[in-house]
Amino acid sequence: DGGITQSPKYLFRKEGQNVTLSCEQNLNHDAMYWYRQDPGQGLRLIYYSQIVNDFQKGDIAEGYSVSREKKESFPLTVTSAQKNPTAFYLCASRKQEQNTEAFFGQGTRLTVV
Amino acid sequence: QKEVEQDPGPLSVPEGAIVSLNCTYSNSAFQYFMWYRQYSRKGPELLMYTYSSGNKEDGRFTAQVDKSSKYISLFIRDSQPSDSATYLCAGPAAGNKLTFGGGTRVLVKP
């Protein structure tokens, strides 16, 4: 089945540690996105990539890093510089053409302990 | 001003009622809109997408766009407890991005 897979579903991080969230898609989509969602709030864009080996900062990129070495994969690293990393992280992908819908993974809940 | 805005709710209705959800948008260039449903602790799933003005119907769901007033709506007929979720509207943004409303939480009571 085609889709987007995020792992792990739950992740615990100690303060000062970097952690990497995985996002893999087999939809053959060029564009991939990372969003952060806090309780009761909407989606805020962290980073996005429209093509392999290229990515752009979103609205809240500070404290995060990404890579796009393969079309299928867009991992997100939450660094120790991110002061308030506890949140629900969502990965999405879509076709490159305008006016196309995005498809989401099931999310990773990151908690700082 | 946010590009897409929604009332956060919660919106509570009895089972069987019509749920009416609304978003306003600021960019008159938007021509394509989406509605997503998100259950607690899950990723959003696409419900409907629609181009420009007019209605689009899919089962119990109707999406409506009024470009003159920059208003998009989602109606859920014969609502069920399983419709209890957060509903997000979305529109296109520069750089092949999507911009999302903050979501409206809906509670359908049996």
Side-chain angles (χ1 to χ4, degrees), chain B residues 19-83:
Chain B
V19 176
S20 175
L21 300 165
N22 302 299
C23 283
T24 58
Y25 63 95
S26 58
N27 190 337
S28 58
F30 283 10
Q31 295 196 19
Y32 182 86
F33 303 92
M34 287 145 281
W35 282 98
Y36 288 84
R37 177 175 62 195
Q38 185 179 23
Y39 292 113
S40 182
R41 300 175 184 266
K42 300 288 186 183
E45 56 179 321
L46 180 69
L47 267 181
M48 296 184 72
Y49 62 90
T50 182
Y51 289 93
S52 66
S53 292
N55 293 357
K56 181 176 180 179
E57 204 170 301
D58 184 1
R60 296 186 296 114
F61 299 90
T62 299
Q64 192 174 75
V65 179
D66 183 346
K67 291 186 72 177
S68 61
S69 56
K70 298 181 187 172
Y71 214 70
I72 53 178
S73 303
L74 180 71
F75 301 98
I76 308 173
R77 292 183 298 280
D78 187 25
S79 58
Q80 304 295 311
S82 59
D83 294 324

Side-chain angles (χ1 to χ4, degrees), chain A residues 33 35 37 42 45 48 50 88 90 94 96 99 101-102 104-106 109, chain B residues 32 34 36 38 41-44 46 49 51 95-98 100-102:
Chain A
Y33 308 80
Y35 293 90
Q37 187 175 38
L45 183 64
Y48 65 107
Q50 299 189 66
F88 190 49
L90 289 160
R94 63 194 287 226
Q96 188 65 281
N99 298 337
E101 62 272 29
F104 285 84
Q106 288 303 296
R109 182 163 299 279
Chain B
Y32 182 86
M34 287 145 281
Y36 288 84
Q38 185 179 23
R41 300 175 184 266
K42 300 288 186 183
L46 180 69
Y49 62 90
Y51 289 93
N96 200 29
K97 295 182 287 185
L98 288 177
F100 288 85

Side-chain angles (χ1 to χ4, degrees), chain A residues 66-96:
Chain A
V66 293
S67 63
R68 187 84 187 276
E69 297 177 1
K70 298 187 300 182
K71 187 176 185 178
E72 301 79 19
S73 179
F74 191 40
L76 173 74
T77 296
V78 183
T79 75
S80 57
Q82 170 50 237
K83 299 304 179 188
N84 185 23
T86 295
F88 190 49
Y89 291 87
L90 289 160
C91 179
S93 72
R94 63 194 287 226
K95 293 179 182 179
Q96 188 65 281

Side-chain angles (χ1 to χ4, degrees), chain A residues 20-39:
Chain A
T20 297
L21 284 59
S22 170
C23 178
E24 303 276 334
Q25 55 97 2
N26 60 4
L27 299 167
N28 200 34
H29 287 169
D30 287 303
M32 297 187 73
Y33 308 80
W34 274 106
Y35 293 90
R36 170 180 172 142
Q37 187 175 38
D38 293 286

